[in-house]
Amino acid sequence: MSEEKQFRFLPLGTFVKVAKRGDKIYMIVARALTKNKEGNPRSNYRLAEHPKGYGKDDILLMATDVDVVEVIQEGYSDESDKEFLKDKLERLKEAPVVVPKEEIEEIPEPDFTQLLDMGNTVKASSTKSDGSNEQGDSVQKLKKDPFYKFK
């Protein structure tokens, strides 16, 4: 069994390498605290890939303190950072334990046949004179654009 790493709350702007991501380097652009199963603090980070950063077509990687395998360069930290952490740790005492990702079940896709049609329940399938299906058309439009009726 692997040894649990000691809790560490890295500053914004810290450059790190992450498990299972090869030699890619990431920068911490957002951070938060949660509790693990045992109720101990757990750092959570949003990471932007270096040197790309975060743009319109990029995604942020989500990682925990356990995922960080190497700190390349630590970001700026001062007294306000220490106060921020102290406040977050105090609030965390009352927070619920967060279930790790691998224990969360997938959320099923919604059943579009039960949708409300502007306050009225979608009627049973009826065929129009052109041979198309009203309910099917409405469901397909909702899948493509859930706000199509408001335009």
Side-chain angles (χ1 to χ4, degrees):
M1 186 171 168
S2 66
E3 230 177 88
E4 183 78 17
K5 290 184 179 181
Q6 186 173 352
F7 168 75
R8 187 167 179 196
F9 195 60
L10 296 167
L12 293 172
T14 298
F15 288 87
V16 297
K17 286 189 179 179
V18 180
K20 299 179 184 176
R21 292 293 174 165
D23 286 336
K24 289 185 180 180
I25 297 173
Y26 296 88
M27 181 178 74
I28 296 174
V29 296
R31 59 202 178 145
L33 289 178
T34 57
K35 289 181 184 177
N36 62 14
K37 284 185 199 178
E38 294 77 33
N40 298 321
R42 163 71 33 95
S43 300
N44 292 285
Y45 303 111
R46 298 256 174 151
L47 309 167
E49 188 177 341
H50 175 352
K52 290 172 46 177
Y54 179 64
K56 178 183 165 192
D57 296 325
D58 298 313
I59 59 168
L60 293 175
L61 179 69
M62 293 174 51
T64 67
D65 50 350
V66 175
D67 299 320
V68 174
V69 293
E70 183 182 349
V71 175
I72 305 296
Q73 181 175 335
E74 197 163 312
Y76 176 74
S77 181
D78 60 9
E79 278 304 311
S80 64
D81 209 38
K82 290 176 186 171
E83 287 298 317
F84 177 78
L85 175 57
K86 182 179 173 184
D87 179 57
K88 291 291 182 191
L89 287 170
E90 194 62 37
R91 289 180 184 203
L92 194 62
K93 289 178 184 175
E94 303 300 319
V97 171
V98 174
V99 178
K101 262 189 191 178
E102 57 273 4
E103 293 182 19
I104 296 175
E105 293 180 26
E106 279 193 34
I107 299 170
E109 192 169 323
D111 179 7
F112 288 104
T113 60
Q114 301 299 316
L115 292 173
L116 296 179
D117 185 15
M118 297 298 290
N120 300 317
T121 305
V122 175
K123 297 175 186 165
S125 180
S126 61
T127 306
K128 295 182 191 175
S129 59
D130 66 357
S132 63
N133 179 312
E134 269 184 57
Q135 181 180 2
D137 291 346
S138 195
V139 169
Q140 290 304 315
K141 286 179 184 177
L142 282 169
K143 282 183 178 180
K144 289 180 183 173
D145 181 7
F147 300 104
Y148 82 96
K149 290 188 179 192
F150 298 105
K151 294 181 180 176

